[in-house]
Amino acid sequence: MKLYFIDEGLDKVGGVERIINSLANSLIEKYDIELISQYRTNDKPHFDYDSKIKINYLFDNRKLLSKKYKKNKIIYYSLRLIEKFVEYFTLKIKTIKFARKIKNDDIVVFGRVPTALAFLPYTNAKKVIVREAIHLEYHKNKNKIKKYFPQKVNLFIVSSDENMKSYKKFLGNSVTIRKIYNPLSITPKVIENIDQKVVTSIGRFDTHKGYDYLIRAFKKVIEIHPDWKLRIVGDGYYKENMVNLINNLKIENNITLVPASKNVVEELNKASIYVMASRFEGYANALVEAMSCGLSCISYNWLMGVEDIIEDNKNGKIVKLTDRYRYFKTLDIIEEDINNLAEAIIDLIDDRKIRNQFKKEAPKIIKTRQKERILKEWENIIDEK
């Protein structure tokens, strides 16, 4: 019997990659473990694996010819079209090949739904576990979920009560669904000074992180509190848009875009308030990390599951969107949502007492996110007969 972990890109850094790495290393003495990664992006995985664990990559993204011609749009897009064609058929052929290697006494853990849907039609494992943090509305292949999950999936792991309710409504009782949080990935250090006049947000520079709203909201904040600063930590394709927006609003003296840092705790300890303005999240690791360090946290009620992290006005603040499905699906500017976010930040700045309360209450989130506890839950699930 073998234990397979299968995901999109196991050489990357992220919540699911971290879980798979920890589980594989902790279970290698019990099981013959093999990893299958749909894509290879880096020369070696971000996380170290035991030498007995074999890793298979189905498609290599490292040496794409189109990368050399990014400045010549005609050549670039022509090459990308060919590369996408090759990628599709290579992935299809190798997916079927590796799926058929999996025997009916093996156990398979999929890191996310799209990867599971690629493999499930071609394999019959003894036990199939699928983990997903993203909400149902995000998925384009809902019909495939309904078709293959009842037939093939023994257990579906989600990360919030709201996600569980949504998937249960969609799938009924045809699939067993269970909630497990991601483990805390940092060693937190609670901030010493709640009076630092700094707001921060950490994450990939991407439209789904809602930085367009956060930047606009912060312009309103500094009209009342001009001595406060916003630090946004990360990297990504959306950076140029963010820079242009900051410059157009003439608030470059109050907002700094900071390159992504491996030392998250150090970055968090430079601020007293953390804001998550996301349009959607899978499992909001950055928000949990900020709370574990005692920052006063504000978040939109993105799709889905912020209530599993923040208890409103007890350990943080939740700002309700006027229409979170519209916010998720579009880049529309909804002034009411921007104003509400700005007001929540201003309220926290003005209320030292509540910041002090959040500093005491927020780090208690660590109790439910301890790595050892969560890995034990996963191990018990895998070991169950």
Side-chain angles (χ1 to χ4, degrees):
M1 182 179 71
K2 292 187 77 168
L3 171 58
Y4 289 89
F5 290 98
I6 306 178
D7 193 44
E8 183 182 74
L10 286 169
D11 56 349
K12 296 180 180 179
V13 54
V16 64
E17 293 82 10
R18 187 180 290 110
I19 290 170
I20 289 175
N21 172 260
S22 299
L23 281 170
N25 285 337
S26 65
L27 292 170
I28 188 59
E29 301 306 323
K30 280 187 182 180
Y31 295 95
D32 179 8
I33 294 177
E34 192 166 333
L35 308 186
I36 300 174
S37 181
Q38 289 175 297
Y39 295 95
R40 184 170 194 174
T41 307
N42 302 297
D43 292 334
K44 64 177 185 178
H46 179 85
F47 301 107
D48 294 326
Y49 283 93
D50 187 287
S51 60
K52 295 189 285 294
I53 297 170
K54 183 179 180 181
I55 307 179
N56 305 287
Y57 296 98
L58 305 190
F59 188 80
D60 197 333
N61 265 332
R62 291 174 299 171
K63 297 177 181 179
L64 296 177
L65 188 60
S66 61
K67 291 179 180 178
K68 297 180 181 180
Y69 296 95
K70 279 198 169 181
K71 292 182 179 178
N72 188 320
K73 290 187 177 181
I74 295 175
I75 297 176
Y76 174 75
Y77 286 113
S78 298
L79 286 171
R80 282 303 292 143
L81 191 63
I82 296 168
E83 287 168 348
K84 281 290 181 185
F85 182 82
V86 172
E87 175 188 322
Y88 175 81
F89 283 101
T90 302
L91 273 178
K92 190 76 172 178
I93 292 165
K94 289 192 174 181
T95 295
I96 295 170
K97 174 187 172 184
F98 277 93
R100 288 178 176 164
K101 270 183 61 179
I102 300 169
K103 299 177 182 177
N104 59 12
D105 63 344
D106 293 333
I107 299 170
V108 183
V109 178
F110 289 103
R112 64 198 79 210
V113 166
T115 305
L117 292 177
F119 279 80
L120 287 177
Y122 311 107
T123 192
N124 288 293
K126 173 187 175 184
K127 183 192 288 186
V128 173
I129 301 165
V130 180
R131 174 261 180 207
E132 183 60 279
I134 294 292
H135 60 89
L136 177 64
E137 292 301 317
Y138 180 84
H139 296 298
K140 296 175 181 176
N141 294 316
K142 295 186 186 68
N143 290 335
K144 283 190 175 182
I145 295 174
K146 188 160 269 186
K147 178 180 178 180
Y148 289 110
F149 273 44
Q151 296 177 25
K152 305 271 190 172
V153 177
N154 301 93
L155 186 61
F156 187 27
I157 305 291
V158 297
S159 60
S160 73
D161 288 331
E162 194 175 13
N163 263 341
M164 183 181 288
K165 183 178 178 181
S166 173
Y167 281 110
K168 275 190 173 180
K169 184 178 179 182
F170 180 70
L171 291 166
N173 296 320
S174 62
V175 180
T176 301
I177 305 176
R178 183 168 168 179
K179 180 180 76 173
I180 300 181
Y181 295 132
N182 280 7
L184 187 65
S185 58
I186 61 170
T187 302
K189 177 187 174 187
V190 175
I191 58 172
E192 295 177 3
N193 183 7
I194 63 168
D195 296 316
Q196 297 179 100
K197 296 182 178 182
V198 179
V199 175
T200 194
S201 191
I202 299 177
R204 187 172 62 255
F205 292 170
D206 191 326
T207 54
H208 97 257
K209 291 295 183 181
Y211 291 133
D212 51 335
Y213 272 48
L214 176 55
I215 290 166
R216 287 183 170 92
F218 204 72
K219 177 177 171 58
K220 297 176 185 295
V221 172
I222 59 178
E223 288 170 0
I224 309 297
H225 295 284
D227 50 345
W228 276 71
K229 310 292 183 184
L230 171 63
R231 290 168 56 85
I232 305 178
V233 183
D235 287 306
Y237 74 90
Y238 196 59
K239 182 177 180 179
E240 186 178 345
N241 300 69
M242 293 164 67
V243 170
N244 290 338
L245 179 58
I246 291 165
N247 290 337
N248 289 339
L249 295 175
K250 297 181 169 45
I251 50 175
E252 58 270 21
N253 292 331
N254 290 82
I255 300 182
T256 305
L257 303 185
V258 182
S261 171
K262 288 187 176 181
N263 198 334
V264 174
V265 175
E266 184 180 300
E267 285 297 336
L268 289 169
N269 272 259
K270 292 175 182 176
S272 59
I273 295 174
Y274 186 91
V275 179
M276 176 167 276
S278 299
R279 288 180 163 83
F280 68 93
E281 284 289 332
Y283 180 83
N285 287 302
L287 182 59
V288 174
E289 290 166 357
M291 292 179 69
S292 74
C293 288
L295 278 77
S296 293
C297 292
I298 300 169
S299 176
Y300 277 141
N301 63 329
W302 33 262
L303 293 171
M304 285 186 172
V306 71
E307 291 85 359
D308 270 78
I309 299 171
I310 292 178
E311 293 181 66
D312 194 25
N313 291 318
K314 181 180 178 182
N315 61 4
K317 265 184 174 298
I318 297 174
V319 178
K320 291 194 174 180
L321 293 154
T322 54
D323 183 344
R324 61 187 187 152
Y325 287 92
R326 178 183 171 189
Y327 186 55
F328 159 61
K329 291 178 179 177
T330 74
L331 296 179
D332 295 348
I333 300 302
I334 306 167
E335 287 294 338
E336 186 177 348
D337 290 331
I338 293 168
N339 291 337
N340 289 342
L341 183 60
E343 285 175 18
I345 298 170
I346 292 166
D347 287 347
L348 262 187
I349 290 172
D350 290 337
D351 194 340
R352 191 180 191 278
K353 184 179 178 182
I354 196 72
R355 294 204 310 276
N356 198 45
Q357 175 188 316
F358 290 169
K359 179 187 173 182
K360 292 175 183 176
E361 291 294 327
K364 293 178 182 178
I365 199 168
I366 296 167
K367 294 177 184 176
T368 56
R369 270 73 174 180
Q370 290 172 339
K371 180 179 177 182
E372 294 75 17
R373 172 179 172 172
I374 289 165
L375 287 180
K376 190 63 182 172
E377 280 190 76
W378 272 98
E379 287 181 23
N380 289 341
I381 286 168
I382 291 167
D383 288 342
E384 280 174 4
K385 301 298 183 185

